[in-house]
Amino acid sequence: MRYFLSTSILVLATLSPLIKALPYYEDTDPQYFVEFECGYDVDNWVIEAGFGTPEQDARLLVDTTSNNTFVAGIMCHSEFCENQSGPLYDSGKSSTSVKLMSEQTFELTNNRSVLGDIYEDTVTIGNIEFTNFKFGKAISVSGFPSDADYAGVYGLNPGPDPTYYASKRKRADHGKGKPSMRGREGKSGSSGSVDTSDPPNVQIPKKRSNTGGGKCALIYDLNYDTLPNPIAWLNLPTNDCSDSPFWKTDIECVKIKNVVDLKFQNTIAEFDTAVKDITAPHEDIAKIHQGLNAEYDNDSDKYVFQCCDANDLEISFTDYTVKIPAGYWTVKIDDNRCFAKIAVSDATDAPTSRWRLGTDFMENFYTILDEDRRQTGLSLLNNRKGISITPK
């Protein structure tokens, strides 16, 4: 099972001409994809989905930290649900809905939780139709913004990995007893359908600038050989005690030349689409601010520093070091002052010491999430000059 997250600067109205225009797509035909807005001005990666027959539209947050998919239902009276601008999912209006379980509670990361009934229904995401898609129809939602521009979550995390936890001398049945809201046993063959035993793949911003927005896409089963550059494969972390080790790796060092040199032991980096910035513990951010001589600015509500003091950001994993020029991890306020796309983490679930590499980081690479390999991969884009991935 493979997911890709990737970027491109081509300005095209739809993904079909993009596939034909990019030379490294010539030998592939990624038929199934989901487009969404992305870029610095976009707070969340949100996809359009349709639930049931006939379709009921809903917007879902793309979340690599969750193995649960849910949508707000008509019986939900939480503020999150009642503030939705569109109608909520009504299983009674779908001829293909099947109720499987009642009132199950699911805990998501960062104190987010959902109480809901488990349903199976036809779900359309992008140009992909899933049959027998299992998800939660939310009755109560907590921990999400009340003004969210989405009505649920599309979870891309495989969840607990018995092989990983057995190797850590944990129980191999870790996580059992809690039904998965994310099971997708699709049936291929009909037009527009896909076998969901292989979940999705790639996300491609087609136009993005330091301050602008663009289009991205989540794609199924892109051939690795068609990527323009080699893949740096990152192993799962060696010491993770959370519910799932997926889309994480060990981080050893974060360095900004002449600013800060942070060394870590037993620290995890997580590829997290639920956050925008790179986020880190307060003590790490304080050292970065100190090295940059950053001062809090009331007007921008940011810690601001002289742009000329920012140098390349280097993030070292176990086997690779990623270098990102200052222009990609800072934002200019004026000709002289900048702030960083690095912020204090609000993580509440263990380990709180982890670094969360959010969407602003991932938009600089092809970010490949491969469950079969049990690895996360990074591959360079041809349009991000100065960014490098170096073996150690």
PDB file of all heavy atoms in Angstrom, residues 74 93 109 146 259 311 379 392:
ATOM      1  N   ILE A  74     -26.240  13.890  10.526  1.00  0.00           N
ATOM      2  CA  ILE A  74     -27.349  14.809  10.792  1.00  0.00           C
ATOM      3  C   ILE A  74     -27.748  14.850  12.267  1.00  0.00           C
ATOM      4  O   ILE A  74     -28.371  15.809  12.706  1.00  0.00           O
ATOM      5  CB  ILE A  74     -28.587  14.444   9.940  1.00  0.00           C
ATOM      6  CG1 ILE A  74     -29.014  12.991  10.203  1.00  0.00           C
ATOM      7  CG2 ILE A  74     -28.310  14.687   8.469  1.00  0.00           C
ATOM      8  CD1 ILE A  74     -30.346  12.634   9.571  1.00  0.00           C
ATOM      9  N   LYS A  93     -30.945   8.773   3.433  1.00  0.00           N
ATOM     10  CA  LYS A  93     -31.143   9.207   2.053  1.00  0.00           C
ATOM     11  C   LYS A  93     -30.264   8.444   1.065  1.00  0.00           C
ATOM     12  O   LYS A  93     -30.298   8.721  -0.130  1.00  0.00           O
ATOM     13  CB  LYS A  93     -30.852  10.702   1.933  1.00  0.00           C
ATOM     14  CG  LYS A  93     -31.856  11.580   2.659  1.00  0.00           C
ATOM     15  CD  LYS A  93     -31.561  13.060   2.454  1.00  0.00           C
ATOM     16  CE  LYS A  93     -32.593  13.934   3.132  1.00  0.00           C
ATOM     17  NZ  LYS A  93     -32.306  15.388   2.935  1.00  0.00           N
ATOM     18  N   THR A 109      -5.365  11.911  17.378  1.00  0.00           N
ATOM     19  CA  THR A 109      -4.236  12.599  17.991  1.00  0.00           C
ATOM     20  C   THR A 109      -4.648  13.977  18.505  1.00  0.00           C
ATOM     21  O   THR A 109      -5.617  14.573  18.050  1.00  0.00           O
ATOM     22  CB  THR A 109      -3.080  12.753  16.982  1.00  0.00           C
ATOM     23  OG1 THR A 109      -3.563  13.443  15.826  1.00  0.00           O
ATOM     24  CG2 THR A 109      -2.530  11.403  16.571  1.00  0.00           C
ATOM     25  N   SER A 146     -14.122  24.912  15.845  1.00  0.00           N
ATOM     26  CA  SER A 146     -15.560  25.095  15.617  1.00  0.00           C
ATOM     27  C   SER A 146     -15.841  25.750  14.277  1.00  0.00           C
ATOM     28  O   SER A 146     -16.950  25.635  13.745  1.00  0.00           O
ATOM     29  CB  SER A 146     -16.163  25.935  16.741  1.00  0.00           C
ATOM     30  OG  SER A 146     -15.538  27.208  16.799  1.00  0.00           O
ATOM     31  N   VAL A 259      23.316  30.026  13.541  1.00  0.00           N
ATOM     32  CA  VAL A 259      22.124  30.344  14.336  1.00  0.00           C
ATOM     33  C   VAL A 259      21.927  29.340  15.467  1.00  0.00           C
ATOM     34  O   VAL A 259      21.880  29.701  16.649  1.00  0.00           O
ATOM     35  CB  VAL A 259      20.861  30.402  13.448  1.00  0.00           C
ATOM     36  CG1 VAL A 259      19.601  30.557  14.300  1.00  0.00           C
ATOM     37  CG2 VAL A 259      20.968  31.550  12.456  1.00  0.00           C
ATOM     38  N   ASN A 311      19.743  31.368   7.401  1.00  0.00           N
ATOM     39  CA  ASN A 311      20.550  30.585   6.465  1.00  0.00           C
ATOM     40  C   ASN A 311      19.856  29.260   6.173  1.00  0.00           C
ATOM     41  O   ASN A 311      18.690  29.061   6.546  1.00  0.00           O
ATOM     42  CB  ASN A 311      21.950  30.348   7.057  1.00  0.00           C
ATOM     43  CG  ASN A 311      22.733  31.637   7.200  1.00  0.00           C
ATOM     44  OD1 ASN A 311      22.928  32.360   6.224  1.00  0.00           O
ATOM     45  ND2 ASN A 311      23.190  31.941   8.417  1.00  0.00           N
ATOM     46  N   SER A 379      11.699  12.566  -2.184  1.00  0.00           N
ATOM     47  CA  SER A 379      12.351  12.690  -3.484  1.00  0.00           C
ATOM     48  C   SER A 379      12.323  14.146  -3.911  1.00  0.00           C
ATOM     49  O   SER A 379      11.323  14.845  -3.702  1.00  0.00           O
ATOM     50  CB  SER A 379      11.633  11.822  -4.521  1.00  0.00           C
ATOM     51  OG  SER A 379      12.296  11.877  -5.773  1.00  0.00           O
ATOM     52  N   LYS A 392      24.160  10.227   4.403  1.00  0.00           N
ATOM     53  CA  LYS A 392      25.148  10.461   5.453  1.00  0.00           C
ATOM     54  C   LYS A 392      26.241   9.380   5.411  1.00  0.00           C
ATOM     55  O   LYS A 392      26.039   8.303   4.886  1.00  0.00           O
ATOM     56  CB  LYS A 392      24.457  10.483   6.823  1.00  0.00           C
ATOM     57  CG  LYS A 392      23.497  11.648   6.963  1.00  0.00           C
ATOM     58  CD  LYS A 392      22.628  11.540   8.175  1.00  0.00           C
ATOM     59  CE  LYS A 392      23.373  11.730   9.475  1.00  0.00           C
ATOM     60  NZ  LYS A 392      22.456  11.767  10.644  1.00  0.00           N
TER      61      LYS A 392
END
